[in-house]
């Protein structure tokens, strides 16, 4: 989960989001760095104008599985996959 990334992408700070939510910055930070409930995620998303699902989408995530000769190979980056294919 990457709430801070989404907040930053919206051009906001944690302090500004907390103000929009009517809570202290420290309280929002506890939620962001902890395990927030769905209700809290919904409130944060509403405050910054996004969907809850945006907190779970990161462009850096990459996992590929390739079956070759009855073996499944796992790759966690595109470069390793390209090397394997070459």
């Amino acid at each position: 989960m990457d709430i801070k990334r989404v907040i930053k992408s919206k051009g906001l700070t944690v302090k500004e989001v907390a103000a929009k939510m009517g809570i202290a910055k420290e309280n929002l930070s506890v939620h962001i760095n902890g395990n927030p409930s769905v209700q809290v995620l919904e409130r944060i998303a509403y405050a910054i104008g996004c969907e809850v699902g945006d907190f779970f989408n990161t462009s850096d995530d990459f996992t590929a599985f390739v079956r070759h000769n009855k073996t499944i190979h796992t790759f966690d980056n595109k470069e390793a996959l390209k090397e394997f294919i070459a």
Side-chain angles (χ1 to χ4, degrees):
M1 189 165 20
D2 202 354
I3 299 169
K4 288 180 187 177
R5 175 188 55 82
V6 178
I7 290 172
K8 186 175 179 179
S9 75
K10 296 290 185 177
L12 299 168
T13 66
V14 172
K15 183 177 180 179
E16 291 169 327
V17 175
K20 286 183 173 208
M21 294 174 66
I23 63 173
K25 176 187 176 238
E26 295 76 18
N27 291 344
L28 180 55
S29 292
V30 167
H31 288 298
I32 290 173
N33 295 317
N35 188 16
S37 67
V38 172
Q39 181 182 11
V40 170
L41 291 174
E42 288 172 342
R43 288 186 63 210
I44 296 169
Y46 181 79
I48 64 177
C50 74
E51 300 292 325
V52 171
D54 294 343
F55 299 138
F56 299 94
N57 297 330
T58 61
S59 60
D60 296 336
D61 287 347
F62 179 85
T63 303
F65 302 94
V66 177
R67 183 185 304 247
H68 179 68
N69 293 335
K70 297 184 180 181
T71 302
I72 297 177
H73 302 271
T74 305
F75 301 92
D76 61 0
N77 63 68
K78 293 177 184 178
E79 291 75 28
L81 176 60
K82 287 177 186 176
E83 287 178 24
F84 179 79
I85 292 171

